[in-house]
Amino acid sequence: RMCRPPERVAPMAEFRAELLRDRKPGSIETAALHRSGRRIPVELRVTPLLDGDELIGWTSFSYDLTERMQAQADPLPLRLTQW
């Protein structure tokens, strides 16, 4: 079970309602809390499990986005060249 920071509860509830309504796979970038209390940026991908038209469950995967976000925040240095 993923622990969410308090400010992420409402956006996750909206995401959950959308998944229940549409019954289509979806994803959301959010944050999880490590047991140490450190926030971890994650992408949560959720797919409904259907038996005909009946929703019988969900599969979900969380992906740690820490490295991707660090790479985006620290772009490669530009090289200056003389003509």
Side-chain angles (χ1 to χ4, degrees):
R1 182 170 177 217
M2 185 170 72
C3 294
R4 295 178 299 273
E7 71 276 4
R8 296 303 303 161
V9 172
M12 289 298 295
E14 291 173 21
F15 177 63
R16 188 178 316 113
E18 181 180 315
L19 290 170
L20 286 169
R21 182 184 66 245
D22 298 342
R23 295 185 179 200
K24 293 180 182 176
S27 65
I28 186 172
E29 287 189 15
T30 188
L33 290 177
H34 187 272
R35 64 182 98 159
S36 69
R38 179 175 57 94
R39 292 173 187 267
I40 304 168
V42 296
E43 177 184 8
L44 178 63
R45 295 182 187 177
V46 181
T47 302
L49 300 175
L50 302 171
D51 184 7
D53 288 334
E54 181 183 357
L55 177 65
I56 58 172
W58 301 93
T59 61
S60 65
F61 296 92
S62 296
Y63 299 92
D64 186 338
L65 301 178
T66 303
E67 287 182 17
R68 185 180 86 185
M69 295 184 95
Q70 288 172 345
Q72 289 173 344
D74 187 24
L76 296 174
L78 298 175
R79 289 188 194 180
L80 297 176
T81 58
Q82 293 183 343
W83 297 88

